[in-house]
Amino acid sequence: MKKFISVLLTFVVAFFMFSLLYDSQSFFPNYGERDLNNAVSQEYIDKDTDETRPYPETGSANIVTSVVVNYRGFDTLGELTVLFISAMGVALLLNVGKERIIFRVKPNFILKAGVRIITGIILIVGIYIFIHGHLTPGGGFPGGAMIASSVLLMYISDDKFKEKMNAFNVLEGASGVLIIVLGLIGLFAFNSFLYNFLPSGEIGQLFSAGLTPILYVLIGLKVGSELSNIIGNFLTQGGEK
């Protein structure tokens, strides 16, 4: 039944995508028919800026962050959706149960003790990366991936370890809902989805760049939770305990 639902969802999404791509009259204009003067990019080209600040729009010291979270915020939400669909597909296709998969080779004491030390360091660095994503290279995706890697290490080093999936599900859902809520606030209040409506502050400071660090924290928590759920689903087996 799970495989049937997965295949059905795949065909529905594929049909929706192809219908939009080939029905160009209702969705995409033909080549050469688009009036570029009405494009959103033209508004940014023609707009005035405040010369008293070097980065008047976002207040982010990391220029990549300005592009990914501000100008491409809706695209970033799409990437999170792709990751969510992947996690849902893994949960549907695998016969996930209550019991952990037991490895043939038992982890020794050195591996267990070493991973306990390394896991804390990885978690701290991962959190640091997505909290400081607007200041230094990094952001929500690499920070969330590091958090998930610490969960993987705990699975490998301890054959009795099993994450609390419900806690990750709640964290994942809450982060996704908050991102959408912030986007809708910008859409209805400022006519732009994920509009950076908070003060930009002083460039280079932790509390700066307006909404950007908040979004990166939510993205990091969501990515980390989803990847951790995928790892947990792969390392559990069917059947009730």
Side-chain angles (χ1 to χ4, degrees):
M1 186 63 182
K2 293 181 179 179
K3 293 183 179 180
F4 173 75
I5 295 175
S6 302
V7 173
L8 180 62
L9 288 175
T10 302
F11 276 106
V12 169
V13 172
F15 175 78
F16 177 73
M17 293 175 61
F18 277 98
S19 63
L20 291 179
L21 289 174
Y22 285 97
D23 189 10
S24 60
Q25 298 297 328
S26 60
F27 193 77
F28 295 106
N30 294 327
Y31 181 77
E33 295 181 355
R34 177 70 181 271
D35 186 6
L36 297 180
N37 292 324
N38 296 328
V40 176
S41 58
Q42 190 65 35
E43 297 180 4
Y44 286 98
I45 294 174
D46 297 336
K47 65 182 173 54
D48 295 327
T49 57
D50 184 1
E51 297 180 354
T52 61
R53 292 188 296 169
Y55 301 94
E57 292 183 349
T58 65
S60 176
N62 184 359
I63 189 63
V64 178
T65 299
S66 301
V67 176
V68 173
V69 182
N70 285 277
Y71 303 120
R72 290 180 59 248
F74 192 75
D75 181 68
T76 301
L77 182 62
E79 295 172 0
L80 290 173
T81 304
V82 171
L83 182 59
F84 169 74
I85 294 174
S86 301
M88 182 178 66
V90 170
L92 289 174
L93 291 175
L94 295 180
N95 188 17
V96 180
K98 299 289 186 180
E99 298 182 6
R100 256 215 57 180
I101 293 178
I102 304 300
F103 301 121
R104 293 181 179 178
V105 179
K106 298 292 184 180
N108 55 35
F109 170 77
I110 297 177
L111 179 61
K112 291 182 178 181
V115 166
R116 289 175 182 175
I117 299 174
I118 297 174
T119 299
I121 298 175
I122 293 176
L123 285 173
I124 294 173
V125 175
I127 294 173
Y128 175 89
I129 285 177
F130 65 67
I131 288 179
H132 294 78
H134 60 299
L135 302 176
T136 57
F141 278 91
M146 291 192 68
I147 292 176
S149 67
S150 66
V151 175
L152 177 60
L153 285 176
M154 292 298 296
Y155 267 108
I156 295 175
S157 64
D158 189 354
D159 54 354
K160 296 182 180 180
F161 174 80
K162 187 178 186 302
E163 65 182 22
K164 296 181 179 180
M165 303 294 290
N166 291 334
F168 280 105
N169 290 333
V170 171
L171 185 60
E172 173 193 348
S175 302
V177 169
L178 287 175
I179 293 174
I180 295 176
V181 168
L182 292 175
L184 292 177
I185 291 175
L187 180 63
F188 289 109
F190 303 96
N191 199 29
S192 179
F193 188 79
L194 285 176
Y195 181 82
N196 195 350
F197 54 85
L198 295 179
S200 59
E202 183 180 351
I203 296 175
Q205 299 298 320
L206 180 61
F207 296 100
S208 62
L211 200 62
T212 301
I214 299 176
L215 290 175
Y216 260 147
V217 169
L218 295 176
I219 291 172
L221 294 176
K222 184 169 178 61
V223 171
S225 300
E226 287 178 343
L227 292 179
S228 298
N229 281 335
I230 292 176
I231 294 171
N233 288 331
F234 271 114
L235 294 177
T236 53
Q237 58 187 4
E240 297 296 328
K241 189 173 181 180

